[in-house]
Amino acid sequence: MPGKLKAKIVAGRHLPVMDRASDLTDAFVEVKFGNTTFKTDVCPKSLNPQWNSEWFKFEVDDEDLQDEPLQITVLDHDTYSANDAIGKVYIDIDPLLYSEAASVISGWFPIYDTIHGIRGEINVIVKVELFNDLNRFRQSSCGVKFFCTTCIPQCYRATLVHGFVEELVVNEDPEYQWIDRIRTPRASNEARQRLISLMSGELQRKIGLKVLEMGGNAVVGYLQCFDLEGESGLVVRAIGTACTLDKLSSGSAPNTNTHMHPNTAPASNACNSPSKDGKEPVFVEDLPSSSGPPTPFRALPTSSSSPPPFSPSKPCSRQSSSSDTDLSLTPKTGMGSGGSAGKEAGPLRTLLRQQTQTALEQRGASSSGLLLNAREFPFFTLTSFPPGFLLHVGGVVSARSVKLLDRIHNPALGNTRSYKLLDWNSVTADEPETRDAWWEEIRQEIKSHARALGCHAVVGYSESTSICEEVCILSASGTAAILNPRYMREGCLDIGCTDHRFEDPSPPSCGFCHIPYDELNMPFPAQLTYCYHCRRQKVPDVLFTTIDLPSEAAVAGKGCLIQARLCRLKKKAQGETNATAISNLLPFMEYELHTQLMNKLKLRSMNALFGLHIQISVGENMLLGLASATGVYLTALPAPGGIQIAGKTPGDLSNEHISSIQKRINDTIAVNKELYQINPPELAEEGVGSPIPEPRHRSRLFRSHSESSDELSELDLSHGKKDAFVLEIDDTDAVEDIHSLLIDAPPPTGFYSCNTENMPGISNWTSGVQMFTSVRVLRLSNANLTNQGLNKIFTDLCENLLKSFYFKLRSMIPCCLCHLNFTVAVPEEELIQVTVTAVAMTYDKEQTQEKTAEKPVNKGSLEAEEQLQFPLELCADSSSSNIQTASKISGVAESTNISPRAASVDYGSFADRCSTWLELLRLKAHTIRRGSVKTSRRTQSLAHSVSSLERCSPLQEGRSRSLRSSRSFGGSSVTVVKMTPLSFLPGIRIIKYLGIINMFFIRETTSLREEGGVSGFLHSFIAEVFAMVRAHVAALGGNAVVSYSMKECVFMENPNKNQAQCLINVSGDAVICISETDQESSASTANTGQTGGGGTDGAT
Amino acid sequence: MSVELDVFVGNTTIMDEEVYQLWLDGYTVNDAVKVRMEGGVMDECEASKDVLLSDTMDQYRTFQMCERLLHSPAKLANQLLFQIPPHRQIMLIERYYAFDDTFVREVLGKKLSKGTKKDLDDISAKTGVTLKSCRRQFDNFKRVFKVVEELKGPLVENIRQHFLLSDKLARDYAAIVFFANNRFETGKRKLQYLSFQDFAFCAGQLISNWTVGAVGESSIDPSYNMVEDMDVDLDKEFLQELKELKILITDKDLLDQHKSLVCTALRGKTKVFPEMETSFKNLSRGLINIAAKLTNTKDVRDFFIDLVEKFIEPCRSDRWTAADMKLYLTHYTNSAHILDTFKHQVVWDRYMGVVKSCIFKMYHD
């Protein structure tokens, strides 16, 4: 079905001087789409040419519109020799293809050259006329909206969530073709940029088709990644969550009050009422009865004639080819391989084998009752959910697999459209089915892990790869969860675990913590206690998840970023040997990372991790592991016990030494408690003598049950005997480990940090926003480094980065670094690269202090409650006093007992370690087979609470604050475009999503020194990328990018040749947003608005 | 183990004013780090030296990348590479174009040529301003000079619009450009006591009274204005007319008449009256001769030295106070109007107005 694309070239400015003689340029422009090219006239002798061209019209298929970018090339006319290219602009037409988004792209675009960077700007206008017949798409999927945001976008309402969509496209990398030897670097880079642009377009179109097939109209949490496999090709893959979204009536949205109390909200809110606040995703169905205030929120099932909002994810993948056997490397020994492993890994291996077997048995048993379609993946890339959606959380599930990349010599497949567009493509092409099969395998693994945790869904799901030479580690992780069965379409998900428990109304603030699995038949040993909140159901002692903290969760104090960092040396090897070596290292790394996380969590006196992301990067001679998460104290979970140091062999280390370490640890814990204002209802220490041995007793009791049902029982025996987390020091390694624990410096006063969307404990954002990207590369000069030495270096690298951020952003204090996203890579043998993208946001300290000051008035047990209510309260009416807070707190005061935790980690031997480690890492799920290593771990449950219409999340509260600032640049023509990796901007309301921004750039230089060395080169490249993103957003009529992320930053250098190259891929959602105060709004909004005035300096 | 690469890029470009100043002042990264450490920034955020070094390098890089834009400040507002809030842009520009009075004093009136640029290291050594900073300042002068040279219209306004500078800074640049264009001699030992601000004031007087643009709207044909450089060059016609003033000293009667008028007015009003009376003729000859010679470019250059030698120094040796000077010059100027045979009142006023205010400004120790 055809459409007409129209483009007009208006003018240029700040063009570079191309003619040295005259110091001027004779510029003209080529406009290319598909195979059609138009040219403007030459505008002689001007650095600010005015072309004012006619409208160039392209008549094309909408399929092409989706795949192809509009390519604008600015050239310098030369009478005698070839015209010199000044640079190019690629414009993605996609945002023009759906009706609600942008209608025109118009604005100044930086003219970009892969060798010289930005060289002037060009003003272009682009329009599309689609000949409408939207129902009969075959190949195209125009109209499907894409969002990077991992929650239901503001100003939309999800009427249906269909489920997981995935697709991948494979092609050969132009950089590795024979032709690359004879063409210029510029030509090669441009071929690559263009190819990736085409592939992303194609991928998006294909995913769109799947969505349409499922009956959806949007993809939320769209995550697209590139695998630069080098010789073996280029993979572009994407996952997302298909949804049917309804746009909330824009007319009424601005009038609604974000902070409306549930009680005051009209009953009709629940459903289709347009008066519902614009950003609140509303599900059609009513939520299960709530424990909230007596809202007039009666169910509306009558009105919800629409089908249940959940439809099964359809089997939407291709036939899985069996060819993967050729590729899968490594010992065919399968699980048995463990037994043959010698050396230090011995004990663990044996253990592994045992556990693997049991795990398999167990899984077999538990899955027998399931009737899930093998191809169906109940995965959700979303990380935060509408209230009532998420019932319980089982814990983190992850799987990793090591694969050998191999070039397959297949004749090119003619069926993919992108192929025909690429003339050089005739050589070979990789088979997408292979990669598909790999991922399918991993997803299956994840699914079975989730099932073992008694969960039928995986939320906060993501996939990633790390490639070094021909070895590739595929990783996937998510959080096993139980979603509200009411939202499920019949037969959609595993119903095996819906038991009576879920009928119980769980309080919104703790429900998600309740364990989803059967306590008598636990998939792993864990310490369960009754929920400290409702006292009715069991909760685990610690909870790890990959999702964001549910807004209604009850937390004490503030959250903080917790990182575990690890380096492991590995022998250089080739092919299968290498892959096996990596496979063997992986479980150890995961184990260590978890130990670190657990210790650091306890050191901060917290009991839950959100947004957990574990990255394992492979290099030629080492593996890097980096786990980041946001720690928080959930009041529903038991208080974490302290950490105890014990010397195993008293002769080795003096008691003094041990006690000094112990003291340091205790001090650190005390300091941290204060720092993060963790004042749970009752402190663990105080609980020792208090009359609450019951929970402990119960858990003990329970444990014995689990022993009987668990073949690993003997390994658990150690648990109940120790009251605190014990670290035993028996060698210098252990000492090192403990020291490294204590290295993490707390952020300086006035700073907080987290890697999630919202910062637990902070919600009163003011308008200061500063998004930044930082890259640091370290060269290890010393060739014979030990693991310990490397760890230290790596840890210091991360810590120093954080310190640098704090210092740079000190003018924003009080402020919080949100969404700190660390990416590690080993670009070369002795290089470690860390890339960080985050946003610093200012908040109003006054209000916090006010609250703190008032605290002593309340009883200790109420404090946590108050902290929980605090954001809600602010939302409701931030200008009012806090008196209401206290009044809101009701009936939960008794849930204050906390028993000392018992668990232990023993640094003595692997066997011991594993025994205790079981609490955290589900080694039994480690399987090694056919060259792939998969690990899985469990953690605990996070359940979603019901109801809470009063879901006044920190985000919303933040949004209500004013952001007057920086709208216009003092009369200049440049629109200020804010960027944030979060899905919201404080004090600002998103009124329109303009489409996804997904850009890929390559920059290369052959004059590295002249450009200021590697730092100068990368600095200007990143600045250029930001500039191009901003320009595209501004041209779409937008003024902000939300859910921004830098997916890829591949940097290569060759200082000897004075060369460097860098690839950057960024994505995000372009939006139009308005300051909350810009609109006529209700009084309370205005009130809150006023309080958030200042701090526009740092505003992005 | 070494940091190979270290960058930090904000969506809003982060710039520390203190570091910017250090950069402008030509400190090396290491020196800047030292200065910052002494300044106590480290305590602010528990930073270490490494953090400071990394931050300073980042900022220096940012400034270097911005420098290109600062060369044509109008670009800064509509470039896309750096997102800088408007008030920051103003700060960046203003500080970039700021200069050290001690430095500018050294190059004032010199040709802004390569030759002068070569001498910058001497100037740097003499003034204590780093060579880097000297170069920046010198290049700024040159750049402004080059741009406004080709522009028509009022000098100060042109500078302000093209370089987005504050009024004060634009006026200073106008003075620099004016001095450079007319190559006024300012380096002689006798002129050493004068500060840049003294000269800038005088330049302002000359620009607004003695150039073509100065009288543009009122007396001279407007179409003529449009084609000439109005503010940079002195009004040739006016300089010619100045020759007519010679009559005041060549005509004995006029001279005597003038003297008696002035003396009558001054008598009893100052302690140094006797000295004024005796030196009247000398002083008058000095001022009129300066006026008469201004048609020669060479003598234009010596305008200030002449003022000092022919007028200020004699007065100073007679211990005139600034008030005496004011009194004397006021009466000296006004008395000429009463001379009925003296027909060149307009030229006289235009000349004396400037000379008077210049001498007032220059008459200090």
Side-chain angles (χ1 to χ4, degrees), chain B residues 13-143:
Chain B
T13 308
I14 293 183
M15 292 169 170
D16 185 312
E17 294 189 26
E18 189 202 346
V19 185
Y20 186 50
Q21 195 56 54
L22 292 170
W23 178 72
L24 289 174
D25 290 345
Y27 283 83
T28 62
V29 174
N30 285 329
D31 290 347
V33 169
K34 259 180 230 151
V35 173
R36 295 183 78 186
M37 275 164 76
E38 283 156 16
V41 205
M42 297 236 285
D43 313 329
E44 262 182 54
C45 233
E46 302 160 30
S48 66
K49 194 185 169 188
D50 289 342
V51 168
L52 218 54
L53 182 67
S54 147
D55 178 60
T56 311
M57 301 246 273
D58 252 332
Q59 303 246 12
Y60 267 51
R61 246 189 336 258
T62 311
F63 300 141
Q64 269 153 26
M65 285 192 256
C66 276
E67 193 165 16
R68 188 176 52 83
L69 298 164
L70 286 165
H71 290 168
S72 42
K75 270 189 192 169
L76 197 63
N78 61 10
Q79 51 85 31
L80 302 177
L81 190 56
F82 298 105
Q83 191 157 275
I84 307 169
H87 68 276
R88 290 246 133 183
Q89 294 185 7
I90 293 166
M91 183 278 291
L92 286 178
I93 295 166
E94 194 76 7
R95 294 237 188 135
Y96 190 78
Y97 282 91
F99 49 79
D100 292 303
D101 281 1
T102 52
F103 170 75
V104 71
R105 188 62 192 76
E106 294 298 319
V107 294
L108 197 64
K110 283 188 184 151
K111 202 173 169 189
L112 298 175
S113 63
K114 286 215 174 89
T116 316
K117 196 168 180 181
K118 271 182 201 144
D119 299 337
L120 286 182
D121 38 0
D122 292 341
I123 297 176
S124 163
K126 188 177 166 192
T127 58
V129 177
T130 58
L131 184 59
K132 227 185 129 198
S133 181
C134 288
R135 291 218 175 104
R136 184 197 74 206
Q137 297 181 34
F138 184 80
D139 289 340
N140 283 344
F141 301 155
K142 215 170 146 179
R143 194 176 314 112

Side-chain angles (χ1 to χ4, degrees), chain A residues 13-14 770-771 773-777 779 781 807-808 810 969 972 977 1015 1019 1027 1030 1053 1099-1100, chain B residues 1-2 4-7 9 11-12 14 16 44 52 54-55 58 61 65 77-78 80-81 83-84 89:
Chain A
R13 68 181 183 195
H14 308 158
Q770 171 66 283
M771 189 281 292
T773 290
S774 182
V775 183
R776 214 171 261 198
V777 176
R779 182 175 289 280
S781 49
F807 181 74
K808 275 186 188 292
R810 67 194 184 284
F969 237 49
S972 86
V977 175
S1015 295
H1019 193 138
R1030 288 193 301 256
E1053 57 165 334
T1100 357
Chain B
M1 190 194 70
S2 59
E4 180 96 356
L5 181 160
D6 179 16
V7 296
V9 190
N11 184 33
T12 301
I14 293 183
D16 185 312
E44 262 182 54
L52 218 54
S54 147
D55 178 60
D58 252 332
R61 246 189 336 258
M65 285 192 256
N78 61 10
L80 302 177
L81 190 56
Q83 191 157 275
I84 307 169
Q89 294 185 7

Side-chain angles (χ1 to χ4, degrees), chain B residues 291-322:
Chain B
K293 287 192 301 178
L294 282 177
T295 39
N296 291 333
T297 332
K298 169 79 181 64
D299 290 305
V300 170
R301 287 182 195 172
D302 287 339
F303 176 70
F304 292 101
I305 188 96
D306 285 346
L307 278 185
V308 169
E309 280 178 352
K310 302 279 159 56
F311 195 89
I312 292 173
E313 281 187 341
C315 298
R316 198 183 283 148
S317 65
D318 285 345
R319 301 178 183 279
W320 294 22
T321 62

